Amino acid sequence: MKLIIVESPAKSRTIEKFLGPGYTVAASYGHIRDLPSSAAEVPAAYKKEPWARLGVNPEDDFAPVYVISADSKKHVTNLKKLLKGADELLLATDEDREGEAISWHILEVLEPKIPVRRITFHEITKTAIQKALEAPRDVDDNVVRAQESRRILDRLFGYQLSPVLWKKVRTKLSAGRVQSVALRLVVEREEERLAFKTAEYWDLEAQFQADEHPFTARLHEVGEKRVAQGKDFDGETGELKNAAKLAHLDGATARGLADRLSAATPWTVERVECKETLKRPSPPFITSTLQQAASSRLGLTPRRTMQAAQRLYEGVELGGGERTGLITYMRTDSVTLSGEALGDAERLIRDTWGPAYSKGPRFYRTKAKAAQEAHEAIRPTDVFRRPEQAAKFLEREEAALYKLIWERTVASQMTDAVVDRTAVDLRAVPETGEPCLFRANGSVVRFAGFLKVTGGDRDESVLPAMSEGDPLPSAGSSTKAPAYLAALSPEGHETTPPSRFSEASLIKQLEEAGIGRPSTYAPTISTIIAREYVLKKKGSLVPTFVGMAVLRLLRDHFPHYVDVAFTAHMEDDLDLIASGEVNWKEFLHGFYHGEGEQIGLLKEIATRLPDIDYPAIPVGADLETGAPLTVRIGRTNAYIQSGSGDDARRATLPVDLLIDELTPEKAQEILLTRERSREPIGADPESGESIYVMTGPFGPYLQLGEVTDDGPKPKRVSIGKGTDTATVDLEFALRLLSLPRELGVDPESGKKVRAGLGRFGPYVECNRVYAGVDDVNVLFTVTTEEALERIRTKNKKPVLKDLGPHPETGVDVQVIKGRYGAYVTDGVANATLRGIEDPTTLTMEQALPLLAEAAGRKGKKKTRKKVAKKKTTKKKTAKKATTKKVTKKTVAKKTAKKKV
């Protein structure tokens, strides 16, 4: 029996269907071991070592200490059992650095005494698996060393620089080699936006009517000068560049010009230029371009894109119980396609659209200097499997992503689109002033080519037939002309700062800079969001105050390590290690200890640490005193500070306040509110305690009594983020401090029903189930029955269609509008509506098989859970950290003994 080990169980199930009885396929469930993630995981033998915290010994050729995680132990045990009955071991992990390293770790842990071979494939299909079995190889030691070097490098970088952030910014922060550069890009884009000076400019738009094709023309020149547009202004000063050569129109000038031109003699066609242009298709997808396209066209984050792509790669159940991978490996930076894929695409195109749409295979050049993650672009494993055929077996996101990949692959092999572009210059001469030139552009698709697949094969804009010298009169003129001027509109514009990065555009920037690899893009962005260095606002990445402080410290004191070029060069070095051109130990030694002009991380931290101050983010000057305004990071919250020393004014900042919203005016408001809160607005008549209106990180609130070191915490009640604290009087405060209010008792549960005001606004509650209330005044009038009704219906989802009672159970079957799309439910099972565009057209006949399939999947999950639970009741073995220090012998030597 031959044992094949892959990373995931889904992948193993798909591969197993393609093989005969002589094979067993098992999953390692990803990496089975790694460097210790905490002090508790460090083996006892190394705990007293000065480098134990690192999990790497920098003084012994950076020898790592690997431990098997608690989650992986059961998988390792299972693999060892299977190995006992095998006569050959085939390692079939992904063909990238990560996959090669997983195979190596499996070898190190299992220590097989049987022949071991490595097989790789880019798609999970029967043909690909058979070809892989026919061409086995050894584990590539150089690729493993490259991945190991990356892992060790990132550990050294993070574990040495993170403590600097703990001392000078806030505890529990982290610095990462790639994530810090990604953060730098986001922060510096925000700094550009803050420094941006807006400028105003105007132009004119002329609307022309014609029998068939109305069109617009925009003012291009006044006299001999081109009209200034947004690109002509300096973003930092707001000043017009090359002002002497440009016509900068303000509102009054534009309106006056419009009035004069409306009464001008017939406009004339000065120039007509027609030019045939070719539009070429884009290359097939690589990881970064797939993430960008899925973001812009499908609204998917990079993480969701990769999750859906993983499912498509590992295989889905098709008709007749068939399970196969639908796309090739999705972590790649290569745009090449296999010969078989090129031939299939050409046949499909010729059979579907005709020979004019295919002129043989098209080849694309990979931009990456050393594409190494995989050697083929992301494409369908079977291009003849059209999106509409696959959709009925896929979830909504998977179907949309498969369609995107299929279209891009097919389009990349189609002929260019031929587009006729026409530019027409129109001259108008006012009675007074200089002549003006307007420009109109149009395009006509003469041959659709690849646009047949991707869309865009319709004419963008069509201009009527015009010749040089043709008159274009005003409306109502008797002059015969191809078009006439119908309206002339002045338009004002403002220059806009550079856009914030989206996840997709940041990935594009990282790729262009040569930072990271396909497998690191999505995790890098997820990390800076999880660390709360960056947050998402309407799809854009915005740095938090903590993120800006972290970047400010690293950039000011360790600029070398967050430099884009330095990080990109390090990626090149890792590629050279993978190709065997650079020694991995020498590479790590230079980075950590230094070599030649390179100081080394360890020495640089020791040298710079004494001079590092707590980072402050400047935001302008105090409007009252002129003192500098800065944001500083406290233990739990950021705060605004005016001035320095004992006389400094300070106030906590709201947690949802962004850096571009913190103007000097806003800072003044926050400081004044804080100072007003020191004076009570009155006293509680019952207790005699003072009542204060205060503002915290989550908004304004009321406080009853004083804060003391040994006394109980005073009562506090939120008063809502939108409340103007200056308008809060004693009467209103007393009403709110009377909350929460007990309304009664739920007759079913016997639990109390309350109305109160919390961090997220007014609410009613029973048995710790909360339901929001629109207006705080409702809290004083709502009844027990009304509150319970709100609680019962809080999560009720909209019903799109009632299908009637289930023929077997009698339970109502409904089509529900869910968070991720419509689904049908019978109260027990929920089934997504795959391949059904309009959910309201679903019939009971269509719903029943979907519900039955969903119920079957649910039953399988329950069975698996029960089995897993039963296994845990077995006698527990003594806990023992499974560790292995890497020896100096190479994988090549180790695998040589195990060759067939």
Side-chain angles (χ1 to χ4, degrees):
M1 184 269 291
K2 295 182 180 181
L3 175 62
I4 299 180
I5 299 179
V6 296
E7 301 100 315
S8 74
K11 189 174 176 181
S12 69
R13 288 193 296 271
T14 304
I15 293 174
E16 204 159 37
K17 287 183 177 288
F18 300 140
L19 301 173
Y23 293 88
T24 296
V25 186
S28 69
Y29 290 81
H31 274 285
I32 59 173
R33 65 177 190 170
D34 196 4
L35 301 176
S37 61
S38 64
E41 284 193 351
V42 176
Y46 303 110
K47 283 187 181 292
K48 294 183 179 180
E49 298 290 345
W51 46 266
R53 182 179 62 89
L54 292 174
V56 175
N57 186 354
E59 307 306 325
D60 183 19
D61 287 335
F62 299 93
V65 175
Y66 290 115
V67 297
I68 299 175
S69 68
D71 291 339
S72 293
K73 286 180 181 179
K74 57 185 176 183
H75 304 309
V76 171
T77 300
N78 182 55
L79 293 176
K80 286 183 176 180
K81 286 181 181 178
L82 294 173
L83 188 63
K84 289 179 181 178
D87 50 35
E88 185 176 4
L89 175 61
L90 299 172
L91 302 170
T93 51
D94 293 335
E95 189 180 9
D96 56 15
R97 288 180 186 161
E98 202 79 21
E100 204 74 15
I102 291 173
S103 286
W104 177 74
H105 280 293
I106 290 171
L107 274 180
E108 291 284 307
V109 172
L110 298 187
E111 298 182 320
K113 308 300 182 186
I114 57 176
V116 178
R117 303 294 279 167
R118 174 89 165 98
I119 61 172
T120 57
F121 39 83
H122 305 298
E123 59 186 77
I124 304 180
T125 60
K126 188 171 184 177
T127 302
I129 302 303
Q130 291 297 338
K131 286 184 178 179
L133 291 171
E134 294 167 5
R137 62 172 174 82
D138 292 331
V139 171
D140 191 323
D141 187 45
N142 289 329
V143 175
V144 173
R145 294 287 80 78
Q147 177 59 30
E148 194 171 30
S149 298
R150 178 195 291 274
R151 185 72 186 94
I152 294 171
L153 179 72
D154 288 345
R155 172 58 64 95
L156 297 174
F157 187 102
Y159 273 47
Q160 295 293 9
L161 276 176
S162 294
V164 177
L165 302 181
W166 303 344
K167 294 175 183 176
K168 300 299 181 179
V169 183
R170 181 185 288 174
T171 58
K172 298 182 180 180
L173 299 180
S174 71
R177 182 178 58 87
V178 176
Q179 78 184 45
S180 296
V181 178
L183 175 62
R184 178 173 187 163
L185 294 173
V186 174
V187 170
E188 291 187 344
R189 175 62 59 87
E190 194 68 23
E191 290 173 342
E192 289 176 30
R193 290 171 56 84
L194 292 171
F196 187 83
K197 296 292 187 293
T198 301
E200 183 184 73
Y201 62 96
W202 286 68
D203 59 17
L204 298 177
E205 186 181 79
Q207 291 96 37
F208 289 88
Q209 289 295 330
D211 291 339
E212 294 183 0
H213 306 297
F215 66 96
T216 60
R218 192 167 291 278
L219 180 62
H220 186 64
E221 293 178 5
V222 176
E224 299 298 322
K225 293 183 177 181
R226 180 173 63 80
V227 175
Q229 298 296 313
K231 64 183 179 181
D232 299 312
F233 293 87
D234 187 292
E236 293 184 4
T237 65
E239 298 293 326
L240 182 65
K241 297 179 288 187
N242 298 320
K245 298 180 180 180
L246 297 169
H248 182 195
L249 305 186
D250 57 21
T253 305
R255 285 187 286 270
L257 191 57
D259 291 338
R260 296 198 303 276
L261 288 174
S262 297
T265 55
W267 295 32
T268 56
V269 177
E270 182 169 286
R271 182 182 69 96
V272 177
E273 182 182 85
C274 294
K275 187 164 131 185
E276 182 181 279
T277 60
L278 299 179
K279 290 183 73 171
R280 292 182 170 83
S282 299
F285 281 130
I286 59 176
T287 302
S288 62
T289 54
L290 176 64
Q291 292 172 352
Q292 293 160 41
S295 174
S296 60
R297 294 181 57 182
L298 305 179
L300 298 180
T301 63
R303 177 176 288 277
R304 283 170 62 191
T305 298
M306 296 309 289
Q307 287 171 343
Q310 183 83 35
R311 293 192 293 270
L312 292 173
Y313 168 68
E314 292 183 340
V316 297
E317 293 283 353
L318 301 178
E322 177 192 358
R323 185 182 183 94
T324 188
L326 297 189
I327 64 169
T328 53
Y329 191 53
M330 64 287 162
R331 293 185 181 91
T332 174
D333 48 16
S334 170
V335 293
T336 61
L337 295 176
S338 67
E340 182 181 356
L342 291 171
D344 287 347
E346 183 175 1
R347 285 194 298 276
L348 173 74
I349 294 165
R350 289 176 176 271
D351 292 345
T352 306
W353 295 283
Y357 287 85
S358 175
K359 300 297 183 185
R362 300 190 75 147
F363 300 96
Y364 298 88
R365 181 177 297 175
T366 299
K367 289 183 180 179
K369 288 181 289 184
Q372 50 80 30
E373 295 290 359
H375 305 293
E376 192 173 358
I378 304 169
R379 62 166 176 84
T381 55
D382 181 1
V383 77
F384 295 103
R385 185 183 293 112
R386 294 174 180 265
E388 59 271 19
Q389 296 170 323
K392 56 187 176 182
F393 303 108
L394 302 174
E395 300 294 341
R396 182 174 60 88
E397 288 183 356
E398 295 167 0
L401 194 65
Y402 180 77
K403 183 173 185 285
L404 199 64
I405 294 168
W406 186 90
E407 289 178 347
R408 181 72 165 248
T409 304
V410 174
S412 74
Q413 295 305 306
M414 296 177 74
T415 50
D416 298 337
V418 181
V419 181
D420 285 348
R421 299 194 183 277
T422 304
V424 177
D425 287 346
L426 311 171
R427 181 170 292 276
V429 183
E431 290 185 4
T432 59
E434 297 178 292
C436 296
L437 190 73
F438 285 70
R439 180 162 293 170
N441 294 292
S443 63
V444 176
V445 178
R446 293 299 178 198
F447 178 71
F450 74 95
L451 296 177
K452 279 286 187 184
V453 172
T454 62
D457 53 342
R458 296 181 180 180
D459 298 338
E460 296 174 15
S461 57
V462 181
L463 299 177
M466 290 180 277
S467 302
E468 292 180 6
D470 281 349
L472 298 180
S474 299
S477 172
S478 59
T479 305
K480 185 177 181 181
Y484 63 86
L485 177 66
L488 197 59
S489 307
E491 291 190 345
H493 310 275
E494 282 189 344
T495 55
T496 56
S499 300
R500 288 180 171 125
F501 284 110
S502 65
E503 291 185 73
S505 61
L506 180 57
I507 285 171
K508 182 180 181 181
Q509 187 75 18
L510 290 170
E511 183 198 21
E512 290 177 351
I515 297 168
R517 283 295 182 262
S519 60
T520 66
Y521 297 139
T524 295
I525 295 176
S526 295
T527 298
I528 61 175
I529 293 174
R531 297 290 184 193
E532 297 183 350
Y533 294 164
V534 167
L535 57 83
K536 287 179 68 175
K537 181 183 179 183
K538 297 180 180 178
S540 297
L541 299 175
V542 188
T544 63
F545 293 117
V546 172
M548 297 190 79
V550 166
L551 190 276
R552 199 170 189 84
L553 184 150
L554 294 175
R555 187 176 56 189
D556 289 350
H557 300 283
F558 303 98
H560 187 53
Y561 297 103
V562 291
D563 181 69
V564 173
F566 170 79
T567 308
H569 179 67
M570 193 160 287
E571 295 291 347
D572 294 339
D573 287 339
L574 291 169
D575 289 337
L576 293 174
I577 293 171
S579 63
E581 299 174 58
V582 167
N583 181 281
W584 69 287
K585 294 177 183 178
E586 293 177 0
F587 165 74
L588 289 172
H589 189 278
F591 168 78
Y592 192 69
H593 293 296
E595 187 175 355
E597 296 181 0
Q598 189 175 0
I599 298 175
L601 178 66
L602 197 61
K603 184 177 179 181
E604 194 153 359
I605 291 175
T607 303
R608 294 182 179 274
L609 187 59
D611 299 326
I612 298 176
D613 195 3
Y614 299 98
I617 306 164
V619 291
D622 190 311
L623 298 178
E624 286 187 3
T625 65
L629 287 169
T630 56
V631 173
R632 292 186 175 271
I633 308 301
R635 282 196 304 173
T636 56
N637 299 298
Y639 61 92
I640 184 73
Q641 177 174 303
S642 173
S644 59
D646 296 337
D647 297 330
R649 304 165 68 197
R650 297 181 181 87
T652 302
L653 292 173
V655 292
D656 56 354
L657 187 71
L658 302 179
I659 183 65
D660 63 329
E661 299 167 345
L662 186 58
T663 60
E665 292 77 13
K666 183 65 176 178
Q668 190 73 6
E669 177 191 328
I670 293 170
L671 288 166
L672 289 174
T673 300
R674 171 75 179 104
E675 288 160 1
R676 281 198 302 266
S677 71
R678 295 186 180 124
E679 295 296 326
I681 62 171
D684 177 23
E686 292 185 8
S687 65
E689 291 187 295
S690 298
I691 299 173
Y692 298 88
V693 181
M694 313 191 82
T695 300
F698 301 105
Y701 62 93
L702 295 170
Q703 178 174 298
L704 178 62
E706 310 283 347
V707 177
T708 59
D709 293 336
D710 54 353
K713 185 177 179 180
K715 181 176 182 177
R716 290 172 177 169
V717 176
S718 170
I719 54 178
K721 291 183 179 180
T723 306
D724 182 357
T725 57
T727 65
V728 178
D729 58 20
L730 181 60
E731 180 185 358
F732 181 68
L734 289 172
R735 290 187 78 198
L736 294 186
L737 285 168
S738 69
L739 297 171
R741 169 176 167 249
E742 288 193 8
L743 306 179
V745 176
D746 178 8
E748 293 183 7
S749 66
K751 301 291 185 180
K752 292 179 181 179
V753 183
R754 299 181 178 88
L757 191 60
R759 173 178 166 186
F760 300 106
Y763 64 85
V764 289
E765 174 267 337
C766 179
N767 199 21
R768 303 188 73 178
V769 179
Y770 296 81
V773 174
D774 297 333
D775 186 354
V776 68
N777 292 307
V778 174
L779 300 178
F780 302 100
T781 60
V782 66
T783 65
T784 303
E785 292 73 19
E786 290 170 340
L788 288 171
E789 180 62 21
R790 285 177 180 270
I791 292 168
R792 291 189 189 103
T793 60
K794 64 169 288 192
N795 292 325
K796 194 171 182 180
K797 293 177 179 148
V799 178
L800 300 177
K801 187 178 182 181
D802 278 304
L803 299 180
H806 194 289
E808 294 179 6
T809 64
V811 177
D812 286 339
V813 178
Q814 296 177 319
V815 180
I816 304 295
K817 182 180 180 181
R819 181 178 178 185
Y820 299 110
Y823 62 91
V824 63
T825 181
D826 60 359
V828 177
N830 299 333
T832 54
L833 304 184
R834 297 172 295 197
I836 298 175
E837 293 185 6
D838 184 359
T840 61
T841 63
L842 187 75
T843 64
M844 181 66 82
E845 291 72 21
Q846 292 173 304
L848 291 176
L850 294 176
L851 290 169
E853 182 184 350
R857 288 197 300 269
K858 191 173 182 181
K860 287 180 182 178
K861 287 181 182 177
K862 286 184 177 179
T863 302
R864 285 197 293 270
K865 285 181 182 177
K866 287 180 181 177
V867 171
K869 190 172 183 180
K870 188 175 181 180
K871 285 182 179 179
T872 60
T873 61
K874 292 181 179 180
K875 185 178 179 181
K876 293 182 179 179
T877 56
K879 291 184 179 179
K880 182 179 179 181
T882 305
T883 64
K884 187 173 181 71
K885 181 178 176 181
V886 178
T887 60
K888 295 185 179 181
K889 64 180 180 181
T890 64
V891 174
K893 291 180 181 178
K894 186 158 190 172
T895 55
K897 299 177 182 179
K898 302 168 186 173
K899 291 183 181 179
V900 178

